[in-house]
Amino acid sequence: MTIHSRVGPEDFDPAEELAALERLGGGAVASFTGLVRGGDGLTTLRLDHYPAMTEAQVTRIAAEAASRWPLLGIRIVHRIGTLEPGDRIVFVGTASAHRRVALESCAFLIDWMKSHAPFWKKESFADGRERWVEAKAEDVVKADAWAAFHN
Amino acid sequence: MAALDILYFAWVREAIGRDGERIDAVDPAVTVADLVGALAGRGGGYAEALGDIERLRAALDQHFVAFDAVIGSARELAIFPPVTGG
């Protein structure tokens, strides 16, 4: 079981992340890539985080997934700094012997990254408006639902 | 009584106008809610940012905690809005 996580301003290549998971020898790899959504005149999205906590918390989230599913590997990448529409923000990938485990653990990881990792998004628009993205109650519900989920 | 570093993030940081500060003598028996309430009592940006703990989350020494947690031996308290990563 290998856990690999990275937080930083650099872009990443999903193909490289997937290839690293494929090399682990399982029969199944699943992944999620999150991108900056355009529209409504959005020009930039800034991602702030709590540096002293982020890596530790991402590792805890990955360890939680590893304790719930028989995984061969987890790779998580989360970007920080100023991004534009279409830019990649986050990658979560899992490798396992079977598809159901890979798919479910991947969904768990992105739900928990949204609700349990210390990142904050601020949107800037073409007309000069700026606003901090508000947490969605439905994201907390989705993350909490995993507490009652039996593998 | 020990020193406690307090960190602010996102709109909490913007409203207060600083990244954080150090409080030199904090009673370990005090709760996070007590401390946040005392900071809000300074008024201005502090009251704006910290006046309603329903809108806030907290971490002690880089672990999420509820507002009724006591400061205890923690060295760092972070106060921030609900997270919005991913």
Side-chain angles (χ1 to χ4, degrees), chain A residues 21-30 72 94-100 102:
Chain A
L21 290 165
E22 289 172 4
R23 284 195 292 273
L24 297 175
V29 168
L72 295 167
T94 56
S96 184
H98 299 289
R99 73 177 183 281
R100 191 172 67 90

Side-chain angles (χ1 to χ4, degrees), chain A residues 46 48-50 52-53 57 60 78 89-90 114-122 132-135, chain B residues 7 9-14 57 59-64 76-78 80-86:
Chain A
R46 201 183 80 218
D48 282 3
H49 74 136
Y50 176 3
M53 180 174 178
Q57 188 67 7
R60 284 180 211 129
H78 203 301
I89 306 171
V90 63
K114 275 192 173 291
S115 57
H116 291 70
F119 295 95
W120 299 273
K121 293 186 180 120
K122 187 176 192 181
W132 289 96
V133 173
E134 288 190 33
Chain B
L7 304 178
F9 292 100
W11 53 253
V12 175
R13 185 193 69 227
E14 289 182 348
R57 299 291 181 270
L60 277 176
D61 286 349
Q62 300 92 46
H63 288 78
F64 287 116
E76 186 171 286
L77 168 66
F80 43 75
V83 301
T84 56

Side-chain angles (χ1 to χ4, degrees), chain A residues 39-99:
Chain A
D40 297 333
L42 181 89
T43 51
T44 60
L45 181 72
R46 201 183 80 218
L47 274 143
D48 282 3
H49 74 136
Y50 176 3
M53 180 174 178
T54 313
E55 287 277 3
Q57 188 67 7
V58 169
T59 301
R60 284 180 211 129
I61 292 168
E64 181 66 30
S67 75
R68 292 173 178 231
W69 286 275
L71 294 170
L72 295 167
I74 295 172
R75 292 183 79 86
I76 300 173
V77 186
H78 203 301
R79 295 180 69 192
I80 53 171
T82 301
L83 306 176
E84 296 178 357
D87 284 352
R88 287 178 280 264
I89 306 171
V90 63
F91 176 93
V92 170
T94 56
S96 184
H98 299 289
R99 73 177 183 281

